[in-house]
Amino acid sequence: MNILSIEERWLWVIIYIGVITILWPFSVLIVSLFFGQYRFFTKYIGRIGRRIGIGKNLSNAKLPIGNKQQATTQIPANIAIFASGAGSNAQKIIDHFKNSDVVKISLIVCNKPGAGVLAIAAKENIPVLLIEKEKYFHGNAYADELKEKKIDLIVLAGFLWKIPDRLIKVFPRKIINIHPALLPKFGGKGMYGNFVHQAVINAGEIESGITIHYVDDHYDNGDIIFQARCAVLESDTPESLARRIHLLEHAHYPAIIEELTKPAE
Ligand code: GRF
């Protein structure tokens, strides 16, 4: 083995490292552009960047909950889930945070006696606030009760009443919702449950999905925090599409809530 051949071998090692570290990610990026995974890819890279201390924080998505100074007083972050349906999302969120030190599901708020979510609350031993139209729309919107319970974040999961201005003022950027379609399409008043899925199918969409967003004073209008997609099949009915959407909701809503309530570094 002479010196020259050792050098040549090192040259190949350097070329190999160069190909792996530069060409490979570049190829993945190109492929991701064609297969609709670009957003996922950029988010993934962003997350790695943040882990190693470079890149921007998700400041527009992050709620001002539990920063270091607050940590002693505001952890766990208290979440109120507003729901008036079956409560499958509420159940997933409750399960996700069952052993959490940082998040506590402190309250279920419901406007429908007999709703499935109330049985879930009873089973899970979570206090319930059953609300009435008059006080909600024309009274204090239960803001005092929520403040008294030190609620940090309101999570809407199948809650159909519009959120009154008063609550939005008291909980600015601390109310989030999940919508079973890709906003800004297929949102607004009357767009809930199977009405959404029927509209998606009628419009001949080839994909639908979920949108998690902040709540402002218009239906389904606030800043988008997260979206995930799924295919709409030719054979889909509103019910079959709803099942696929529910799976997406269950997979992502708890994780996004966790991300939003993470104490700032
Ligand atoms: C979900 O599809 C959600 O997107 C919408 O209401 C539905 C609630 O379902 N806002 P569940 O009661 O959690 O099963």
Side-chain angles (χ1 to χ4, degrees):
M1 217 187 281
N2 62 32
I3 290 178
L4 200 74
S5 73
I6 292 174
E7 277 176 357
E8 198 180 302
R9 206 179 300 157
W10 277 112
L11 188 67
W12 280 113
V13 168
I14 289 166
I15 290 173
Y16 179 77
I17 291 172
V19 168
I20 293 296
T21 55
I22 298 168
L23 271 188
W24 175 249
F26 188 68
S27 321
V28 173
L29 177 65
I30 297 293
V31 170
S32 75
L33 284 175
F34 290 104
F35 288 94
Q37 296 297 312
Y38 182 69
R39 270 175 64 82
F40 170 80
F41 184 78
T42 51
K43 273 190 188 160
Y44 181 70
I45 295 293
R47 218 177 305 150
I48 293 176
R50 282 192 298 280
R51 277 271 158 82
I52 60 175
I54 55 174
K56 268 193 283 170
N57 261 323
L58 275 174
S59 55
N60 62 335
K62 195 120 181 147
L63 288 160
I65 292 175
N67 62 32
K68 263 201 176 137
Q69 216 192 339
Q70 292 168 312
T72 47
T73 55
Q74 275 204 253
I75 285 193
N78 289 313
I79 290 186
I81 299 178
F82 281 41
S84 44
S88 70
N89 279 286
Q91 181 71 69
K92 291 287 169 189
I93 296 166
I94 293 164
D95 292 346
H96 187 87
F97 292 110
K98 214 158 241 172
N99 300 314
S100 170
D101 298 328
V102 272
V103 169
K104 183 175 178 211
I105 309 303
S106 308
L107 188 66
I108 301 286
V109 176
C110 179
N111 66 299
K112 227 185 198 172
V117 72
L118 295 177
I120 293 175
K123 170 173 73 85
E124 303 288 350
N125 253 321
I126 299 175
V128 166
L129 178 62
L130 207 51
I131 59 175
E132 284 163 10
K133 224 174 197 160
E134 186 55 31
K135 179 165 171 176
Y136 181 76
F137 287 110
H138 303 116
N140 77 345
Y142 293 88
D144 299 339
E145 286 82 345
L146 293 167
K147 274 197 294 184
E148 206 173 285
K149 290 197 178 292
K150 300 198 177 348
I151 296 301
D152 298 297
L153 175 68
I154 294 175
V155 170
L156 310 185
F159 185 75
L160 298 185
W161 283 358
K162 194 164 180 296
I163 301 299
D165 286 355
R166 183 169 166 78
L167 267 193
I168 293 169
K169 280 208 186 87
V170 176
F171 293 94
R173 257 173 122 72
K174 290 182 184 176
I175 308 177
I176 63 169
N177 181 40
I178 188 161
H179 184 76
L182 296 170
L183 293 174
K185 279 169 138 186
F186 309 107
K189 199 169 187 314
M191 275 294 180
Y192 61 89
N194 280 354
F195 292 114
V196 180
H197 306 308
Q198 187 67 69
V200 169
I201 292 170
N202 290 349
E205 297 287 318
I206 55 166
E207 63 173 11
S208 187
I210 61 167
T211 304
I212 298 170
H213 63 96
Y214 289 108
V215 172
D216 68 8
D217 50 357
H218 291 96
Y219 271 114
D220 303 324
N221 182 66
D223 288 350
I224 292 175
I225 300 166
F226 175 84
Q227 290 187 309
R229 289 155 197 275
C230 66
V232 178
L233 308 178
E234 271 186 32
S235 56
D236 262 334
T237 60
E239 291 74 20
S240 64
L241 182 53
R243 280 194 290 277
R244 206 168 307 123
I245 295 281
H246 255 114
L247 292 179
L248 274 186
E249 294 182 334
H250 298 164
H252 293 289
Y253 208 11
I256 293 296
I257 295 167
E258 182 174 335
E259 184 67 28
L260 293 175
T261 49
K262 231 178 228 168
E265 302 277 303

